Amino acid sequence: MNKELLWGIDLGGTKIECAVLDKQNPSQVVVRERIDTESAKGYDHIIAQIKVLVDRVTGIIGEKPKAIGFATPGVLNPLTNTMKNCNTVCLNGQALATDLANTLGCEVKLANDANCFALAETLLGAVQDVNPNAEVAFGVIMGTGVGGGLVVHGKIINGLHGIGGEWGHNILEDDGDACYCGKSGCVETVISGPALEKYYEKHSGKKMKLKEILQAAKDHSDADAEATVERMVDYFGRAISTLINVLDPDVIVIGGGVGNVDLLYSEGYERIKKYIFNSREVHTPVVKPKLGDSAGVFGAAMLYS
């Protein structure tokens, strides 16, 4: 094949996806394949599954990769060269980058999946539509968990500890619920999907999905649902204001299931004005993503762009 190619792999807890892009036109997908992770079988099996997938794609395009970018469900600690903060827990403490390079026989580069989301939306997605000259962009993930990624001049900012952009683990409530990270009251424990559902259940005594809570609040048929939604938009405003106060990004892209809630872009955006250090004026575009579930694997490939 004559094209110069970009290889990316999104390593998830349930599936591993590989995409090969045309470097001259990265929006053009040359090959896209996926395989089950089978993470319950352990770390060595995950490495083996990645090798199976890479060999399969190599057979399709007729050439081996020179380098592969990986989106991972945690971060590579640059001080120890081992993984941490992975929800696929068997990856934690492992020298994943080294093991992948040795197994695949090529250069590899790893980045957290939220960072890959931010990079893809900056270089190929929503940021290009809103402000293609953006110097600083921030990608937020609001779903089962809350995370983020920071991109400056088209490059991910990983930071000294590899935790650049980890917005979801700043504290919003000093006396809030315990977080898996060891702290209490993190952004993730307040405005993630499960956290909102937990808050509603605690006050109403009933279990409902977030979609149902939002509808009940809209219908004004459930005071506890209205209180849950009010809390969501207010804490969203507080949390986003801290991003703007510290980074003042040109664009913020909100991904994840909770990021689909339209109210965040209207009432939630208004709440930012209440907390921002800018005379209650906000001009930062806060937008939905463009790439959907392609963002992780595209961002992984773009690590070598």
Side-chain angles (χ1 to χ4, degrees):
M1 185 170 285
N2 295 324
K3 294 178 180 178
E4 191 173 0
L5 303 176
L6 298 172
W7 284 63
I9 290 180
D10 186 4
L11 173 56
T14 58
K15 57 90 179 171
I16 307 166
E17 182 172 15
C18 178
V20 180
L21 311 180
D22 178 356
K23 188 171 184 177
Q24 298 305 314
N25 181 17
S27 60
Q28 180 180 335
V29 179
V30 178
V31 179
R32 190 168 183 175
E33 292 282 318
R34 64 172 57 185
I35 192 173
D36 290 341
T37 310
E38 300 177 350
S39 56
K41 295 182 179 180
Y43 177 73
D44 290 341
H45 186 74
I46 292 174
I47 297 292
Q49 287 292 86
I50 293 169
K51 179 69 162 57
V52 168
L53 181 58
V54 170
D55 287 347
R56 179 186 299 175
V57 174
T58 296
I60 293 171
I61 65 176
E63 63 182 65
K64 294 181 178 180
K66 298 180 179 67
I68 305 176
F70 282 82
T72 60
V75 297
L76 184 69
N77 186 336
L79 303 178
T80 64
N81 200 39
T82 57
M83 298 298 293
K84 64 180 180 179
N85 301 342
C86 298
N87 52 22
T88 302
V89 294
C90 66
L91 299 176
N92 288 321
Q94 301 286 355
L96 182 60
T98 300
D99 293 341
L100 286 171
N102 290 338
T103 299
L104 301 175
C106 68
E107 184 180 342
V108 303
K109 188 179 292 186
L110 275 56
N112 176 260
D113 47 15
N115 288 335
C116 289
F117 163 81
L119 184 64
E121 289 293 344
T122 298
L123 299 180
L124 302 174
V127 175
Q128 289 297 307
D129 292 341
V130 176
N131 183 354
N133 297 315
E135 294 184 341
V136 180
F138 198 93
V140 164
I141 302 291
M142 290 177 61
T144 303
V146 174
L150 174 61
V151 176
V152 178
H153 296 139
K155 301 294 182 184
I156 293 170
I157 303 299
N158 288 305
L160 176 65
H161 303 92
I163 57 172
E166 285 292 354
W167 165 78
H169 294 280
N170 290 319
I171 295 173
L172 275 181
E173 291 185 314
D174 288 334
D175 58 349
D177 290 340
C179 182
Y180 77 89
C181 74
K183 303 192 293 291
S184 296
C186 294
V187 174
E188 182 165 309
T189 69
V190 179
I191 58 174
S192 67
L196 293 164
E197 292 170 358
K198 181 179 178 181
Y199 179 86
Y200 174 79
E201 183 181 359
K202 179 180 178 181
H203 288 81
S204 70
K206 299 178 291 184
K207 281 190 174 185
M208 285 211 303
K209 295 295 185 182
L210 180 58
K211 185 177 180 179
E212 298 170 316
I213 296 168
L214 291 164
Q215 187 61 51
K218 184 178 181 180
D219 295 341
H220 303 290
S221 62
D222 186 329
D224 292 313
E226 291 185 65
T228 301
V229 172
E230 164 60 27
R231 183 172 185 267
M232 175 188 71
V233 296
D234 193 66
Y235 273 115
F236 174 81
R238 294 188 194 203
I240 294 294
S241 74
T242 63
L243 286 177
I244 298 175
N245 285 345
V246 174
L247 300 172
D248 204 9
D250 297 293
V251 184
I252 297 174
V253 185
I254 312 287
V258 181
N260 291 321
V261 177
D262 290 336
L263 202 60
L264 296 179
Y265 304 91
S266 54
E267 182 59 29
Y269 192 86
E270 287 298 310
R271 296 302 175 91
I272 299 171
K273 297 177 182 179
K274 183 177 177 181
Y275 301 106
I276 192 175
F277 183 57
N278 193 43
S279 303
R280 300 193 176 223
E281 290 186 8
V282 182
H283 304 287
T284 312
V286 177
V287 299
K288 292 182 179 181
K290 183 178 180 180
L291 300 174
D293 64 2
S294 298
V297 72
F298 282 16
M302 295 303 287
L303 291 173
Y304 279 104
S305 63

